[in-house]
């Protein structure tokens, strides 16, 4: 174990000095391990690979700030963790934003064709929401439509915060898959008829 730490510290020193071969050694040593962690949370090979790539890019661009005594392992795992957390948070924000646009943009769509597309989109989202269990649907609407926090929802429904977070996450995943499918269908229709 100690030799692994010393190797890590030695590679960190070399990397800090701009040594490309040290970077390649670190990549070979940690790539698969970081990928496994990323895949566990992101459930997508492409997203996990992107996360690992971004982690190593950040390592290279911030190599001057490395502390060789700390080595590189902790830096890599912390960077990966923050990248994944930001990605998950941003995906949830995007889902909520899409949901809000669906419900608040109805007045903007005046043209017949746009209105038809919008109504189809809204129906699909409504169907997806209505297919959720009663509790998930209620939690999702309280957070998305009323803008309540996890704590407020938990307090009003007499649930634990973790239950609210889990139920909201499950509802978000279900809606996200519907929105992805709608997007793909829109792209296919556009390519078939407009390109």
């Amino acid at each position: 174990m100690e030799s692994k730490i010393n190797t890590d510290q030695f590679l960190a020193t070399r990397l800090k000095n701009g040594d490309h071969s040290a970077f390649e050694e670190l990549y070979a040593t940690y790539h698969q391990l970081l990928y496994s962690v990323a895949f566990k949370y992101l459930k997508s090979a492409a997203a996990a690979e992107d996360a690992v790539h971004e982690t190593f890019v950040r390592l290279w661009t911030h190599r001057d700030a490395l502390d060789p005594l700390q080595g590189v392992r902790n830096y890599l795992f912390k960077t990966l963790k923050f990248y994944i957390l930001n990605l998950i948070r941003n995906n949830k924000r995007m889902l909520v934003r899409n949901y809000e646009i669906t419900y608040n943009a109805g007045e903007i769509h005046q043209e017949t064709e746009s209105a038809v597309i919008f109504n189809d989109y809204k129906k699909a989202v409504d169907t997806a929401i209505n297919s959720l269990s009663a509790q998930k649907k209620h939690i999702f609407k309280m957070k998305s439509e009323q803008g309540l926090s996890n704590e407020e929802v938990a307090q009003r429904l007499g649930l634990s915060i973790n239950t609210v977070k889990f139920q909201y996450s499950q509802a978000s995943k279900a809606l996200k898959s519907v929105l992805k499918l709608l997007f793909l269908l829109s792209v296919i229709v556009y390519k078939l008829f407009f390109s």
Side-chain angles (χ1 to χ4, degrees), residues 104-116:
N104 297 329
E107 297 167 11
I108 296 170
H109 298 280
Q110 299 299 321
E111 298 172 28
T112 308
E113 188 177 335
S114 295
V116 169

Side-chain angles (χ1 to χ4, degrees), residues 3 8 93 99 127 189:
S3 68
D8 203 46
R93 282 185 185 159
Y99 178 80
T127 301
V189 167

